[in-house]
Amino acid sequence: MKTIFCFVFIVFFSFGSLFGQRSNQQNFFSLSEIGACVGKMYYLGDLNKHRQFYKPNLSFGLIYRYNINSRLASRFSFLYGKVQADDADSQDEYYINRNLSFFSDIFEFSGGLEFHYLPFQMGNRKYRGTTYMFIQGGVFRMNPKTNYNGEIVELQPLATEGQGTSLSSKKNRYSLMQICFPIGLGCKLSINKFINLNVEIGIRKTFTDYLDDVSSDTYVDQGSLAQINGQMSADLSNRSLDGSRYGNRGNSRTSDWYVFYGGMISFRLGKTNKCAMPR
């Protein structure tokens, strides 16, 4: 938690100090952009270890950007998407037998910095395009679910790995609110003095292994779990086709990730001096 608070403090400090750096040619509105993005989102974790662009789902969001200078901008964004995975899609017999699946909506809010590899200024033909990288810190809400006997079931309340019981070393059920660090690359092009087009891809580092509701290396005893949390919890804790309780459910040594890729259009909020030069 200290890391995320320090990161946010640095971003806001940098943002607040910008007003003292503005020249007479620029103002808050001329340096500000607001826009919308649309693309796809997918997940990497215990149910999808290596397949890139696996089961991508529609994602969209909003972004605010403040151009500090021609090489640096601060940005704040809201993003909605959905991630999912299913062992039935695997080509490995082991994972097919494990027979787990999940899906989850993702609501993310984050803020950070964008670094331009080339000088960039909206409306300036000499500096109209650049590639960039970004790093942000934020929070997201997840809620892993699965289909069970034709019904959609929320997995976190069921504690399918015995969280919060004597069957697990984890004293509490995992939180649906989590921290993330979006990191990625993109490119942008200024169409005119007021419109930018972007494409980017960003991977989200998370600090939870429960985006897919799967973390424990082993299965808990289903009979004991049924007595404590109910039969549905026991049934969803081990869905293996052969009914074995001695296989590996997940990998507790790794955390889950999710990725967004897509396009964006943003609009400048105000005018600037015609003679303004990149700062």
Side-chain angles (χ1 to χ4, degrees):
M1 290 295 291
K2 291 183 179 179
T3 302
I4 187 72
F5 287 137
C6 290
F7 180 83
V8 171
F9 174 79
I10 291 171
V11 171
F12 276 93
F13 178 80
S14 300
F15 184 75
S17 67
L18 303 179
F19 298 97
Q21 301 176 9
R22 294 181 307 192
S23 68
N24 294 329
Q25 298 170 329
Q26 304 280 9
N27 58 66
F28 175 81
F29 294 103
S30 71
L31 295 171
S32 295
E33 303 170 40
I34 190 167
C37 61
V38 62
K40 294 291 186 72
M41 183 181 288
Y42 66 96
Y43 135 98
L44 294 165
D46 291 305
L47 273 65
N48 178 39
K49 294 182 180 295
H50 307 295
R51 289 172 291 178
Q52 300 294 329
F53 306 103
Y54 166 69
K55 284 188 175 294
N57 289 280
L58 180 65
S59 180
F60 54 87
L62 300 172
I63 187 169
Y64 168 78
R65 182 186 286 119
Y66 187 93
N67 295 287
I68 300 173
N69 56 47
S70 62
R71 295 277 191 170
L72 183 66
S74 59
R75 50 187 276 167
F76 300 89
S77 60
F78 166 79
L79 189 65
Y80 165 78
K82 180 182 177 181
V83 295
Q84 65 182 117
D86 193 329
D87 278 342
D89 297 327
S90 177
Q91 297 180 351
D92 189 319
E93 291 296 328
Y94 172 80
Y95 294 114
I96 293 174
N97 180 69
R98 184 175 62 174
N99 194 36
L100 293 174
S101 64
F102 90 103
F103 60 91
S104 177
D105 292 321
I106 300 291
F107 298 88
E108 174 194 292
F109 178 79
S110 61
L113 297 172
E114 185 177 284
F115 305 91
H116 303 156
Y117 289 104
L118 299 172
F120 177 82
Q121 185 182 42
M122 289 183 69
N124 190 319
R125 294 183 179 180
K126 186 177 179 181
Y127 307 103
R128 63 180 302 184
T130 183
T131 53
Y132 62 87
M133 70 169 293
F134 64 88
I135 179 169
Q136 299 176 227
V139 295
F140 71 98
R141 187 183 190 278
M142 61 183 191
N143 190 12
K145 305 174 184 178
T146 193
N147 288 297
Y148 176 69
N149 293 336
E151 298 182 4
I152 295 176
V153 178
E154 295 183 358
L155 292 168
Q156 188 255 19
L158 297 177
T160 56
E161 295 183 351
Q163 305 97 321
T165 74
S166 59
L167 301 176
S168 172
S169 61
K170 297 178 180 178
K171 297 180 180 180
N172 300 302
R173 298 176 186 180
Y174 57 85
S175 173
L176 298 181
M177 292 294 298
Q178 296 287 339
I179 293 171
C180 66
F181 279 98
I183 304 169
L185 299 171
C187 60
K188 62 170 66 176
L189 179 67
S190 174
I191 301 302
N192 56 36
K193 293 181 179 180
F194 292 97
I195 301 176
N196 274 342
L197 293 180
N198 300 61
V199 292
E200 69 178 39
I201 181 169
I203 190 167
R204 272 63 179 170
K205 163 64 178 173
T206 78
F207 298 87
T208 179
D209 195 24
Y210 282 110
L211 180 54
D212 47 19
D213 191 61
V214 178
S215 177
S216 177
D217 299 307
T218 59
Y219 295 105
V220 297
D221 181 73
Q222 285 183 282
S224 300
L225 187 61
Q227 291 181 358
I228 299 173
N229 286 346
Q231 190 59 49
M232 183 182 292
S233 176
D235 291 344
L236 293 176
S237 70
N238 185 349
R239 306 184 75 178
S240 58
L241 299 179
D242 63 2
S244 173
R245 55 170 293 190
Y246 299 106
N248 287 99
R249 176 175 161 90
N251 184 351
S252 61
R253 296 176 296 279
T254 61
S255 296
D256 298 327
W257 303 67
Y258 63 97
V259 180
F260 168 80
Y261 62 95
M264 180 190 311
I265 183 170
S266 60
F267 302 89
R268 184 196 226 147
L269 297 183
K271 295 181 179 181
T272 186
N273 188 308
K274 294 182 179 180
C275 298
M277 297 296 293
R279 297 179 304 149

